[in-house]
Amino acid sequence: MMPKDMAALINALPLAVMVVGDDDRVRAVNAPLEAMLGQNLLGKHHITALRQPAILDAIMLAREGAMPVTAQYMGREGDRDTTYRVVVAPADGNIVISFEDRTATEYAGQMRRDFVANVSHELRTPLTALLGFIETLGGAARNDDAARDRFLAIMTHEANRMTRLVDDLLSLSRVEDDERVRPRGQVDIGELLESVIKGLEPQAASADMTVTLEQPDQNVMVPGDHGQLVQVFTNLVENAIKYGASGGNVVVSLSPQAMHQRLRGEGVEIVVADQGEGIPAHHIPRLTERFYRVDSHRSRAIGGTGLGLAIVKHIVNRHRGRFSVESKQGQGTRVHVLLPTEPGL
Ligand code: ADP
């Protein structure tokens, strides 16, 4: 086959493909391959074009064994690392090399592995503590009533921590599952905020804080899932209580329905503002990542799982809303949630 015909043939394929002749020179490439490795490869020795030893070995093996050989090609495009699965197949004296982009799959695999490692780490800490106390209670502290009471209290605390983590994990996976399903209900958002704040009053009181609600006179209805919106604002107000300044005030404000550019339509904005120490700017873009915490020690000490804002983000996305955080160090944090009031397209 003439190189021209080969080029026409491989140009019809979605994968990046290169054909190397029996003289080891590049005989044909298609457009996806040029996008990947650059222009002007025709006629060059394949070593010049493909510098990675794994591919060069695969070419040799494919020639010797007259069989297709697979290999991995690691590249870099712009500022991201890429991974390709390469099949090197002998074809009538030529070698056909095709590159399948596996970057997204590799990335998803990496995310999954990181997630499992994080969950295991989060569970291991309370488990280790529990096992330690069980051992002490069965041995050294067996007949020490005071120690037993103290240890049981700590054990309850650790077990509660694990329960919260498992609850948040289940919640996150449920929320991710139905992120593409439009919520069906209609929610009176002012009433919902009132009941969330009421439910958190004991927590606020024990932190010596007050939570106040500012809302318009008219009721505002939002298309949404009542349970999930309760979860969003519970998480946000709880964070404001946890990370706000003791003795300070948390203000939740609901704006009247209005046109919002970011929603390209009508919506309402809810802001949860605290007077805590705030969040350094470089942490803000990462707060909604699972297990991301500004100060892990502090978060764990006050019972945080590091999953709250990840859950919030998914629920707000499901409602086609917008979530953002604004914070000045030393002056507190303002968390904004924009929710569309129109059912949308
Ligand atoms: P956590 O369970 O640790 O509270 P979240 O996902 O709810 O997890 O929040 C992630 C991190 O964001 C927290 O660990 C904390 O460092 C930071 N954060 C959240 N809300 C606030 C706030 N209102 N003020 C200061 N920091 C906050």
Side-chain angles (χ1 to χ4, degrees):
M1 195 190 287
M2 299 296 289
K4 187 164 62 66
D5 301 328
M6 262 181 222
L9 207 62
I10 62 177
N11 251 324
L13 298 172
L15 302 179
V17 180
M18 170 188 284
V19 181
V20 174
D22 51 8
D23 55 357
D24 283 342
R25 308 252 153 208
V26 178
R27 295 191 75 184
V29 292
N30 65 359
L33 189 116
E34 285 189 325
M36 195 180 133
L37 295 180
Q39 313 261 334
N40 304 325
L41 295 170
L42 289 180
K44 288 199 172 141
H45 195 284
H46 69 69
I47 294 180
T48 328
L50 302 162
R51 294 172 182 278
Q52 297 191 8
I55 311 292
L56 306 181
D57 288 352
I59 294 176
M60 220 165 66
L61 280 174
R63 276 236 169 84
E64 282 169 5
M67 291 246 293
V69 176
T70 57
Q72 249 198 0
Y73 181 86
M74 319 290 251
R76 197 161 170 82
E77 278 159 33
D79 57 358
R80 68 179 196 134
D81 289 325
T82 52
T83 309
Y84 290 86
R85 177 175 180 268
V86 184
V87 178
V88 180
D92 197 17
N94 295 312
I95 293 280
V96 179
I97 308 167
S98 54
F99 294 78
E100 181 194 351
D101 191 347
R102 309 269 295 182
T103 312
T105 323
E106 285 291 318
Y107 181 69
Q110 187 57 45
M111 295 268 287
R112 205 165 38 239
R113 287 191 290 278
D114 286 352
F115 181 63
V116 171
N118 274 325
V119 172
S120 315
H121 176 76
E122 296 288 335
L123 282 171
R124 171 169 286 154
T125 318
L127 264 178
T128 308
L130 278 176
L131 286 171
F133 286 118
I134 290 171
E135 198 179 303
T136 318
L137 283 175
R142 182 182 285 272
N143 299 314
D144 182 341
D145 286 352
R148 193 177 54 223
D149 288 350
R150 198 153 43 84
F151 291 164
L152 281 175
I154 305 176
M155 289 167 77
T156 310
H157 177 79
E158 295 297 337
N160 281 335
R161 175 132 79 108
M162 290 201 288
T163 310
R164 259 195 318 275
L165 182 64
V166 172
D167 284 349
D168 276 359
L169 284 170
L170 286 174
S171 198
L172 189 59
S173 93
R174 229 174 291 129
V175 172
E176 280 177 331
D177 263 354
D178 63 17
E179 192 166 337
R180 285 165 202 282
V181 187
R182 212 52 96 66
R184 289 171 184 274
Q186 282 289 326
V187 177
D188 180 330
I189 191 75
E191 203 175 273
L192 182 144
L193 291 170
E194 259 171 43
S195 85
V196 164
I197 293 173
K198 199 156 182 48
L200 290 170
E201 257 163 21
Q203 210 167 314
S206 63
D208 189 22
M209 290 172 93
T210 51
V211 185
T212 49
L213 175 64
E214 293 170 357
Q215 60 171 324
D217 298 332
Q218 271 196 334
N219 288 27
V220 187
M221 300 303 288
V222 169
D225 179 314
H226 189 274
Q228 287 193 338
L229 291 178
V230 166
Q231 208 173 353
V232 165
F233 295 105
T234 305
N235 276 334
L236 297 181
V237 176
E238 219 170 19
N239 277 351
I241 296 173
K242 286 193 306 194
Y243 304 104
S246 174
N249 192 15
V250 172
V251 180
V252 181
S253 50
L254 167 64
S255 68
Q257 183 169 341
M259 177 70 194
H260 285 276
Q261 272 312 319
R262 291 181 68 196
L263 295 174
R264 292 191 192 84
E266 298 257 313
V268 286
E269 184 174 42
I270 300 102
V271 178
V272 180
D274 65 52
Q275 304 167 319
E277 47 193 73
I279 306 168
H282 65 279
H283 288 292
I284 292 181
R286 302 196 56 190
L287 293 179
T288 55
E289 286 175 22
R290 300 151 168 191
F291 297 115
Y292 192 85
R293 296 153 161 133
V294 175
D295 175 347
S296 348
H297 186 74
R298 173 153 180 225
S299 154
R300 286 204 186 88
I302 51 183
T305 59
L307 294 173
L309 293 183
I311 296 173
V312 165
K313 191 186 96 183
H314 281 290
I315 297 179
V316 173
N317 282 348
R318 182 186 177 207
H319 287 74
R320 314 216 155 191
R322 298 284 183 279
F323 170 79
S324 59
V325 177
E326 186 196 345
S327 185
K328 279 220 174 68
Q329 246 182 312
Q331 295 179 25
T333 302
R334 292 168 62 82
V335 179
H336 301 249
V337 175
L338 266 178
L339 292 174
T341 44
E342 296 162 341
L345 303 172

